[in-house]
Amino acid sequence: MIVGFVIPSSKNKRYLSGSDWVINALDYILKTETCAGNMSQVVIMLDGALDGTAVKNSLNRFVKKFPVLFGSTARDYNLAPYWRMPLEKDFNLNFNDHHLDRASSDDVSSMLEECVNRQFKNDNDHVAFHLIRTGVEQSCFAMTFDHRVLDARGAEMFLDLFQQYITGNCNSGIADGFNFTAPADLSDWMEKFYAGRTVNRKIVSLSKLSPGALPLPPAKNNGFRFRLINFSPRETQKIHEDANSRAGYLMETPYFLSVVIQTVHELFSKRCLLSDSYLVPASVDMRTGEDIKQEMFFNHVSYLFYQVPASEAGDREKTIMSIRNQMYDQIKSGLPKDVLKASLLTRIAPLPVLKKVFSIPVDGKIASFCFSHVGKCSYMFSGFMGAKINNIFHMPRVPVPPGLGFFFNYFNDRLNLVISYLNGLIQEDEAVMLETCLKEKLQT
């Protein structure tokens, strides 16, 4: 291959990045292994009732300004995948108004689980909106989104823009300035291959210690279950202070991850599952600018990879130090950028082939569990359509394997931790144990 060779492409298409193609592969895997694809859900808990008709009408006007939400994946003549924008101007809003009379928090949680485990109507349907009314002066609004078109922070930005639209008296120019094209990036081949070599070496080094993972249930059509742990502002402040003291300033990720590893290690020990290590991919937001209109849609994440020997997993101080060092080394070496460059090379592979490729490293064990620390919420308002917001959190369906994930986010000076797990992967008493231990360890 000639180093300077550039494959021609169109300037009018939105070509998928390597990160986008990896997400498409995970979507394909989840659809073959579970009841739905690579979806997530951002939930807004409200202190006040919303009018279902008003919400639906406002959403309908707003969403129609973004045809990108009704697109689909296609391949160009140069074999690069791109997002095919729909030609139709009439799009059907996927809106669902749920009424739960005298509902308990468990009833609301069950409904939210049902919503995030629903398949989209077709391959051009990528967002679904759910209003859950409980018969009292409280309600819940949830947006289920396809990770192929929005990542977690992008979903928060989208809802923030919707609130701007509402408070601006339905500003007709709210969609102005968005750019729905992206280059194919079919050049600089040696740079991509060098990045691929670096990533491959990292994978080889991680495979030296066999990672532990929970055995997947035999059923292929399972949905995901969730547990939410939310902390008060006072508890959150104490956790923040402990993280600074024990892990260092701005080192919340190593602190949170060390607590999760320690807790998962206890679960593995109770199950008598033997492993050499725990392997954890953690997402990293790679956005570079402040203009949300350039980086709201599609995926803008890369990954860091943390590995902790099982022999050290019970020692939080050792685990914190190990994760800190791994974070420094990977960022200093530019691994997140190399992952993005190397992933561009995967776009030539059809999704079924990529599914098989993903199962090759470390005996098919992609990870022990998934982890994400979204950080400060990108939704900047204190209310939603006139109702006060009590909380905002995420409910992601995670890759299978591993089928288990832990996700931290903040809203209004409150820390949330959501545990996501494939139904049947762990038992009810084990889910309770994870929730109880995590809450205790984060406050001691």
Side-chain angles (χ1 to χ4, degrees), residues 424-443:
L425 185 76
I426 59 176
Q427 301 303 312
E428 183 69 16
D429 62 325
E430 293 175 323
V432 172
M433 171 263 179
L434 287 176
E435 179 180 350
T436 302
C437 288
L438 285 168
K439 193 166 186 176
E440 288 178 353
K441 291 181 189 302
L442 284 168
Q443 296 183 93

Side-chain angles (χ1 to χ4, degrees), residues 31-78:
K31 284 176 177 174
T32 59
E33 298 294 331
T34 73
C35 65
N38 191 19
M39 300 148 56
S40 185
Q41 186 165 261
V42 56
V43 179
I44 304 178
M45 303 300 294
L46 298 163
D47 186 12
L50 296 183
D51 183 293
T53 301
V55 174
K56 181 179 180 179
N57 291 341
S58 297
L59 279 171
N60 196 44
R61 291 192 299 269
F62 179 70
V63 168
K64 284 183 177 181
K65 296 180 179 296
F66 300 96
V68 63
L69 294 173
F70 302 90
S72 60
T73 303
R75 279 198 184 272
D76 203 1
Y77 65 89
N78 54 23

Side-chain angles (χ1 to χ4, degrees), residues 19-219:
S19 180
D20 290 327
W21 195 239
V22 169
I23 295 298
N24 272 261
L26 294 177
D27 180 72
Y28 175 83
I29 293 170
L30 274 164
K31 284 176 177 174
T32 59
E33 298 294 331
T34 73
C35 65
N38 191 19
M39 300 148 56
S40 185
Q41 186 165 261
V42 56
V43 179
I44 304 178
M45 303 300 294
L46 298 163
D47 186 12
L50 296 183
D51 183 293
T53 301
V55 174
K56 181 179 180 179
N57 291 341
S58 297
L59 279 171
N60 196 44
R61 291 192 299 269
F62 179 70
V63 168
K64 284 183 177 181
K65 296 180 179 296
F66 300 96
V68 63
L69 294 173
F70 302 90
S72 60
T73 303
R75 279 198 184 272
D76 203 1
Y77 65 89
N78 54 23
L79 300 183
Y82 70 97
W83 195 251
R84 180 161 45 200
M85 304 294 177
L87 299 177
E88 297 84 359
K89 293 184 178 180
D90 293 326
F91 308 118
N92 294 320
L93 179 72
N94 190 340
F95 178 82
N96 306 272
D97 195 351
H98 310 275
H99 298 265
L100 301 176
D101 292 333
R102 302 182 184 277
S104 67
S105 59
D106 288 341
D107 294 328
V108 174
S109 297
S110 295
M111 177 58 71
L112 288 171
E113 283 185 358
E114 180 187 332
C115 294
V116 77
N117 283 308
R118 288 185 185 181
Q119 291 191 49
F120 289 116
K121 296 177 180 178
N122 53 58
D123 200 44
N124 292 93
D125 191 26
H126 303 287
V127 287
F129 302 94
H130 301 274
L131 177 61
I132 302 174
R133 292 186 274 178
T134 61
V136 294
E137 284 301 304
Q138 289 185 329
S139 53
C140 173
F141 178 84
M143 181 178 80
T144 308
F145 58 95
D146 188 338
H147 263 308
R148 291 182 294 170
V149 73
L150 285 166
D151 59 23
R153 191 169 295 281
E156 292 177 354
M157 292 175 174
F158 182 79
L159 290 176
D160 185 80
L161 193 67
F162 173 65
Q163 184 63 21
Q164 291 182 44
Y165 174 72
I166 296 299
T167 56
N169 294 318
C170 299
N171 178 9
S172 60
I174 197 74
D176 294 347
F178 279 88
N179 178 20
F180 293 113
T181 64
D185 211 349
L186 298 173
S187 60
D188 301 320
W189 298 104
M190 289 307 298
E191 183 180 19
K192 294 178 177 62
F193 281 113
Y194 283 136
R197 184 175 65 180
T198 300
V199 173
N200 185 61
R201 286 174 176 172
K202 182 63 178 177
I203 292 173
V204 170
S205 70
L206 293 172
S207 66
K208 292 177 181 178
L209 290 176
S210 178
L214 293 169
L216 297 177

